[in-house]
Amino acid sequence: MSPLRPRTALLSTAVVAALLTGAFTSGSAQAVTGSPSTDGTLTFTARLDIGSGERACSGVLVDPRWVLTAASCFADNPQQSFQIRAGKPAKTTTATIGRTDLTSTAGQVRQVVELVPRTDRDVVLARLATPVTGVTPAAVGTTMPTTGETLTVPGFGRTKTEWSPLKLHAGAFTAGAMATETLDLAGKDGVAVCAGDTGGPALRARTGGAGGYEVVAIATRSWQGGCFGQNPDETRTGAVSTRVDNLRSWLDATMQAAPVTDFNCDGVRDTAVADPDAAVGGDAGAGLVRVVHGGGRGTAEITQDLEAVPGGSEAKDHFGTTLATFDHNLDGCTDLVVGAPSEDLGSAADAGMVNVLYGAPAGLTTGKAAVSLEQGSGSGALAAMASESGDQFGAALAAGTTLAGEPYLAVGAPGEDAAGGATDAGGVIYVRGSGTTNVLIHQDKSGVPGALEKGDKFGSSLAGSPQHLVVGAPGEAIGTLAAAGGVSLFSHTLNADKLPTGVTGLDQDLDTVEGGAEADDRFGASLALVQYRAGASANGTESLLAVGSPGEDGAQAVNAGRVDTFRLTASGFTQVSGIYQGSSGVPGATEANDSFAQSLSAVNTAPGAVSTAQNTLLAVGVPGEDSTGATDGGTVYTFSLTNGAFINTVYPGKFGIPGALGNGQKVGTALHATGSELYLGLPNGPVSYGSAHAVPWGNVLSGGTQPVTTFQPGTGGLPAAGETFGSVIR
């Protein structure tokens, strides 16, 4: 491993003035010249391998998914600057955590898939592909070091006698001069920070009964006096570290934030907008998806006529009817799942197909080859099925990762027929991990709530969180009440049949659910689900669920609609609220054909933090609402998921959204909530081809005036063509 080289560029005027020379070293790294660590208290120290042996650095685990280290470890020329690009590391990087002796198999190895650097100092948060278990992360201190305070610095760099030691070493340092971004360190008893220790934590012993250590700084540069391979005339053991004790708010905001859709892995949000009715190559209704890369990095159009996309564009395929996003191959690039439930396969009309398109630095479809999912092909349960007319495989999608960080994908086929003449009973294919778990869920499986019946349309709607999977069957009959609707709850824990474990069923005939089951309520026609964290010590086994019943009648108003919210636990549920127009605190009146909750989307804007009314948000589409005098103009209602409190209504002309409501726009048909914005799709006008708008949550929650981002064919690099652009957004 190469030694740390002299840094000649100015990293900050304060640091340069303090050093007076360019002889300080920084950059590619390797252990502190102190003693080997044997007491097990420093297992949170990480060793980073960058570029398969090109560089090595140290770091510290500060969250099960995040390592804190020096940005200069990833810089092209660390002697010149620590500035690096956010997003996926340019070179393959692995982190070994919990292995203080590298000859052992203790601890865990994780790939680093995302970098979130600071621009004002040499520090970066590195996100791991999956969480680390069995190692307690280090706490980050929030009080500044004091002059003369003794700090401990562990690392995997060189020692006095070893070029590449196999054990973690640690040494004691005295805190010296301090600036806003930096802290000087002086090695005690000849101890020095050596090459390979870059990014290692400077630790303060915790007092007051807390025990252990807390991180106050990150080692970044050193004179390396006494380090193996250095000039023997160099005796200085001083070092400069980067302060992190004053970065608490940035650390929390980064580590607790909701994931960002990032197809080209550059750390900037990207957006996919579907036009499932668009013509492709003269084939009416073939459908397409347009991608807008954030940061002005261009657009892309995805159709089944592309060589990299399975299938071929055909009339009325409606490619893009459903979309979902997750990181299926855990490489740090968001992958896009596209449903085409009207795809014909052979003579089977509307059998349906789903494509998984992989993200890459050059964008979707430019990296790993896409995967096509269709009944009767592939492996597992999919291979054992048959593509049949009207199956509508892909009519609903849910994707994400479990608490353990394992990716999952659920695909609904509400038109799936079952033996005994149970037409449209429905089913769901559940794919876990790399695809080795590929199973069929239906209501005749052991542990699945409900009974398999004709017309249930199990799988018409789906929602997932790290803890739960929820399946809607809006055609479910409750007693003699046709299409009253029901919902099945599952945990991601796999049972003996490798199926998600059934928790319970939900319907309005239960005493623990508000309202009463009625014919054509379609309870479960729409679903939304987010992670819920009750307190700082909660282990994250709970979720918040919203269930839409757009067919619910109210006060003689047919299809007025309502939504019910629930708190899900490992073993059951409790109802949080029942929401409809005219209910307590909700504006508007119960009117026929409003279809309140025809669509739902929810987000936990800070899933790593304690859940509050401000960070668990629900958007409810009401496309039949006659807003501002516009017949079927539609609107979107927003609520807190934790208590059902009304927040605001959202439609064109409000919060910076351009245009005004008009007849037949049916606002609320398409919506999508993310950690920072509420996306509003307007496929029915007022502009030609349709449009979509990203409204900052700050505007909706507190009347902010941040700019709204508009996606519209004919602008921003998007072709001036289409039919119902904005029908689905991710």
Side-chain angles (χ1 to χ4, degrees), residues 203-560:
L203 304 167
R204 169 196 290 139
R206 302 178 76 181
T207 59
Y213 296 95
E214 62 183 18
V215 187
V216 295
I218 294 294
T220 48
R221 287 172 287 165
S222 169
W223 293 111
Q224 297 195 72
C227 297
F228 185 80
Q230 291 299 108
N231 186 338
D233 294 332
E234 179 57 75
T235 60
R236 289 171 291 185
T237 59
V240 168
S241 61
T242 299
R243 286 180 61 188
V244 297
D245 63 282
N246 53 3
L247 295 181
R248 184 73 262 174
S249 60
W250 173 73
L251 293 168
D252 286 345
T254 302
M255 296 187 297
Q256 296 174 357
V260 173
T261 297
D262 185 10
F263 301 124
N264 59 355
C265 3
D266 63 355
V268 183
R269 179 182 298 280
D270 302 323
T271 304
V273 184
D275 188 339
D277 298 308
V280 178
D283 294 318
L288 56 80
V289 178
R290 292 190 172 121
V291 175
V292 179
H293 294 114
R297 292 185 170 91
T299 63
E301 183 171 283
I302 300 172
T303 74
Q304 288 182 295
D305 273 355
L306 295 178
E307 185 176 347
V309 179
S313 293
E314 300 166 320
K316 298 182 180 180
D317 276 352
H318 299 302
F319 179 80
T321 296
T322 53
L323 300 175
T325 55
F326 70 147
D327 186 0
H328 184 220
N329 56 343
L330 297 176
D331 67 344
C333 306
T334 303
D335 306 318
L336 179 67
V337 189
V338 185
S342 299
E343 178 88 21
D344 298 343
L345 297 175
S347 60
D350 298 340
M353 173 189 284
V354 170
N355 291 330
V356 181
L357 310 176
Y358 291 94
L364 289 165
T365 75
T366 65
K368 180 179 177 180
V371 172
S372 175
L373 303 179
E374 57 186 82
Q375 298 173 97
S377 66
S379 61
L382 267 177
M385 300 170 71
S387 290
E388 300 166 318
S389 293
D391 278 350
Q392 294 191 302
F393 183 76
L397 299 170
T401 55
T402 67
L403 279 176
E406 190 174 12
Y408 68 86
L409 170 63
V411 181
E416 177 75 16
D417 299 338
T423 56
D424 294 343
V428 173
I429 285 290
Y430 179 80
V431 181
R432 181 78 161 264
S434 62
T436 52
T437 296
N438 166 355
V439 294
L440 173 63
I441 308 172
H442 57 65
Q443 289 179 294
D444 202 30
K445 294 276 189 177
S446 176
V448 177
L452 187 149
E453 299 165 319
K454 177 180 178 179
D456 281 348
K457 296 193 173 182
F458 181 84
S460 291
S461 57
L462 293 166
S465 72
Q467 300 84 356
H468 293 95
L469 175 70
V470 181
V471 182
E476 179 90 30
I478 305 299
T480 61
L481 302 171
V487 172
S488 297
L489 311 181
F490 301 85
S491 77
H492 287 294
T493 301
L494 301 182
N495 62 21
D497 297 322
K498 293 189 176 180
L499 291 169
T501 301
V503 176
T504 189
L506 279 175
D507 62 66
Q508 288 182 295
D509 203 35
L510 297 174
D511 292 340
T512 49
V513 177
E514 291 183 12
E518 300 166 318
D520 298 317
D521 277 351
R522 294 184 293 126
F523 180 82
S526 57
L527 300 169
L529 186 68
V530 298
Q531 183 173 356
Y532 178 70
R533 187 182 181 96
S537 60
N539 58 11
T541 60
E542 300 185 28
S543 304
L544 291 173
L545 169 67
V547 180
S549 306
E552 177 87 19
D553 300 342
Q556 310 305 312
V558 177
N559 297 329

